[in-house]
Amino acid sequence: MSSISAPLDLIRLSLDERVYVKCRSSRELRGKLHAYDQHLNMVLSDVEETVERVEVDEETDEVIVKKESRSVDMLFVRGDVVILVSPPLRTT
Amino acid sequence: MSELAASKPETTEDNNNDNDSLTPSTFLKTVLGRPVTVHLSSSSRYTGILSCLDGYMNIAMEQTEEYEGGQLKAKYGDVFIRGNNVMYIATEKKIK
């Protein structure tokens, strides 16, 4: 972390690595980061998108959390939906 | 009216003195490298060591724990939080 002087450096160091992105409306993305800019617009490849849906069973009133996943080859993410970006765990 | 006019230069002077006093940004400089809890407007919280932040209030943190509704949801080594989601940055005495 010593080479980091601005938060965006963390993203720069994750280029060409797989990253985890938490987005608005309970969406999570995992994919390889190809490009980003100051808005956090990002281009990811081999992406797995996970959407979490909360449903209430009408008979039992049970809250059911459903996770749906899908794969996308290449994905452009608009920066304003991004909440959090986490690079892969580094051993250094 | 004359009182008002007299108070004006004083105010300017005060503003000049503010350069060495505590402002939000001097506070943020003092908490760099310290344990903090970042509260997002979505009501989730992130506890960890504040690595750095920029003018957009984008935040980089280390050893971060994610809490939702008081429950630990995830742990991250390094994490980047986009500034527009940030509501509070609270100092912590130690990490839970």
Side-chain angles (χ1 to χ4, degrees), chain A residues 18-92:
Chain A
R18 287 191 78 79
V19 292
Y20 165 81
V21 184
K22 193 180 169 80
C23 300
R24 285 174 182 263
S25 58
S26 303
R27 282 164 201 272
E28 298 175 341
L29 305 170
R30 285 176 182 82
K32 188 179 169 186
L33 180 65
H34 285 268
Y36 74 96
D37 64 16
Q38 70 273 30
H39 305 290
L40 267 296
N41 294 326
M42 290 187 284
V43 177
L44 301 172
S45 70
D46 298 322
V47 188
E48 195 199 353
E49 181 199 41
T50 308
V51 189
E52 210 178 88
R53 284 210 176 78
V54 179
E55 290 175 7
V56 180
D57 191 310
E58 284 181 15
E59 290 175 9
T60 60
D61 279 350
E62 268 184 297
V63 178
I64 305 157
V65 180
K66 280 189 178 172
K67 280 196 176 184
E68 290 168 17
S69 298
R70 64 178 182 130
S71 297
V72 188
D73 283 345
M74 211 61 166
L75 191 69
F76 173 93
V77 185
R78 194 181 145 98
D80 61 356
V81 303
V82 173
I83 296 174
L84 172 156
V85 182
S86 185
L89 284 175
R90 252 183 287 275
T91 46
T92 48

Side-chain angles (χ1 to χ4, degrees), chain A residues 1 4 6-8 10-11 20 22 24 39-40 79-80 82-87 89, chain B residues 40 46 51-54 58-60 62 66 68 76-82 84-85:
Chain A
M1 286 294 272
I4 292 180
L8 279 164
L10 204 61
I11 312 296
Y20 165 81
K22 193 180 169 80
R24 285 174 182 263
H39 305 290
L40 267 296
D80 61 356
V82 173
I83 296 174
L84 172 156
V85 182
S86 185
L89 284 175
Chain B
L40 305 191
Y46 295 87
S51 304
C52 55
L53 74 173
D54 64 16
N58 292 327
I59 292 174
E62 294 173 69
E66 177 182 61
E68 266 169 38
Y76 306 98
D78 294 331
V79 80
F80 173 99
I81 300 172
R82 197 175 190 267
N84 66 305
N85 305 292

